[in-house]
Amino acid sequence: DAKTTQPNSMESNEEEPVHLPCNHSTISGTDYIHWYRQLPSQGPEYVIHGLTSNVNNRMASLAIAEDRKSSTLILHRATLRDAAVYYCILKVGRSGYALNFGKGTSLLVTP
Amino acid sequence: SAVISQKPSRDICQRGTSLTIQCQVDSQVTMMFWYRQQPGQSLTLIATANQGSEATYESGFVIDKFPISRPNLTFSTLTVSNMSPEDSSIYLCSAGDSSTGELFFGEGSRLTVL
């Protein structure tokens, strides 16, 4: 299975942009790149996903490298509520649809 | 979107007993999964709950220990059998549609085994 590598933790100031990196050098051509986040004491929530092209939604932007071996989740303006563990995931699992979570990046946002 | 409700939200159980966790989704979904999150750790996929057939278990998880049912498109149960303190974890239900690629998660069921 293709693996992802993320920094254990990152820190950002409130209202500043945040760039969360993810390396996935063994990604296959059909693997989608998913980002989820888990706020304290809650289940994970979907952030964004993409295959090859950069993606934008109301929560964030996803920038995917041309060779697809890395990607970056961009929070344009961090708020205190964005403090969470962010997971970069390639869709795997025996059924082909489940998500296998790595350790993620713990994002601290300071006022 | 889908809203997922899990019961119980938390429980304290005795060693050797079994507990069944229920997961209800407010809309029909094609995919349902069960995860475990041990204290301070990431989520680990236990199995895919298949409607009307046996669940698909990931490596390290077996049906005798974690029997799963999914009688219809909106409901699933996970039983944690013959519990030991090592089973103390948060168990999360997840559901979604394969066409959208987005999964929704419940708040989790926090089990403490004494």
Side-chain angles (χ1 to χ4, degrees):
Chain A
D1 294 340
K3 303 294 185 187
T4 61
T5 304
Q6 299 177 252
N8 289 333
S9 62
M10 291 184 65
E11 191 169 336
S12 172
N13 295 320
E14 196 176 11
E15 299 187 5
E16 296 286 323
V18 182
H19 291 234
L20 296 163
C22 180
N23 288 324
H24 30 77
S25 58
T26 60
I27 190 171
S28 73
T30 56
D31 284 334
Y32 279 78
I33 302 159
H34 298 253
W35 284 83
Y36 282 72
R37 71 179 185 181
Q38 187 172 23
L39 301 172
S41 301
Q42 294 189 24
E45 64 176 352
Y46 169 84
V47 178
I48 201 166
H49 78 285
L51 183 62
T52 56
S53 304
N54 295 344
V55 184
N56 300 295
N57 65 21
R58 63 176 179 80
M59 288 183 69
S61 295
L62 176 60
I64 302 173
E66 196 169 332
D67 63 5
R68 299 208 331 123
K69 293 185 177 182
S70 65
S71 61
T72 302
L73 179 70
I74 302 166
L75 307 179
H76 296 286
R77 208 160 156 261
T79 68
L80 297 177
R81 195 196 173 275
D82 291 322
V85 178
Y86 286 79
Y87 298 98
C88 168
I89 306 163
L90 305 180
K91 193 166 66 176
V92 290
R94 289 186 61 199
S95 69
Y97 294 103
L99 301 174
N100 272 353
F101 286 75
K103 295 183 179 180
T105 297
S106 179
L107 176 66
L108 175 66
V109 181
T110 53
Chain B
S1 66
V3 176
I4 299 174
S5 303
Q6 283 187 235
K7 289 193 297 186
S9 57
R10 59 178 62 231
D11 207 340
I12 299 174
C13 307
Q14 296 299 317
R15 181 195 299 260
T17 63
S18 299
L19 181 77
T20 296
I21 302 167
Q22 298 180 358
C23 176
Q24 179 72 54
V25 188
D26 70 343
S27 59
Q28 292 190 344
V29 290
T30 52
M31 305 180 293
M32 291 186 77
F33 307 101
W34 287 97
Y35 286 85
R36 179 175 74 184
Q37 187 169 30
Q38 295 177 305
Q41 303 295 315
S42 182
L43 285 79
T44 301
L45 178 65
I46 297 172
T48 301
N50 300 310
Q51 186 203 355
S53 64
E54 190 172 292
T56 304
Y57 290 85
E58 298 299 310
S59 176
F61 297 95
V62 295
I63 188 171
D64 289 346
K65 176 66 175 178
F66 298 101
I68 289 170
S69 78
R70 188 180 174 191
N72 56 52
L73 288 175
T74 64
F75 185 78
S76 178
T77 66
L78 167 74
T79 299
V80 186
S81 302
N82 188 25
M83 286 185 285
S84 67
E86 292 71 35
D87 294 319
S88 297
S89 285
I90 299 173
Y91 292 85
L92 296 112
C93 174
S94 173
D97 194 286
S98 56
S99 64
T100 66
E102 179 177 352
L103 289 187
F104 301 91
F105 286 80
E107 299 266 325
S109 299
R110 182 184 294 272
L111 265 55
T112 302
V113 184
L114 303 177

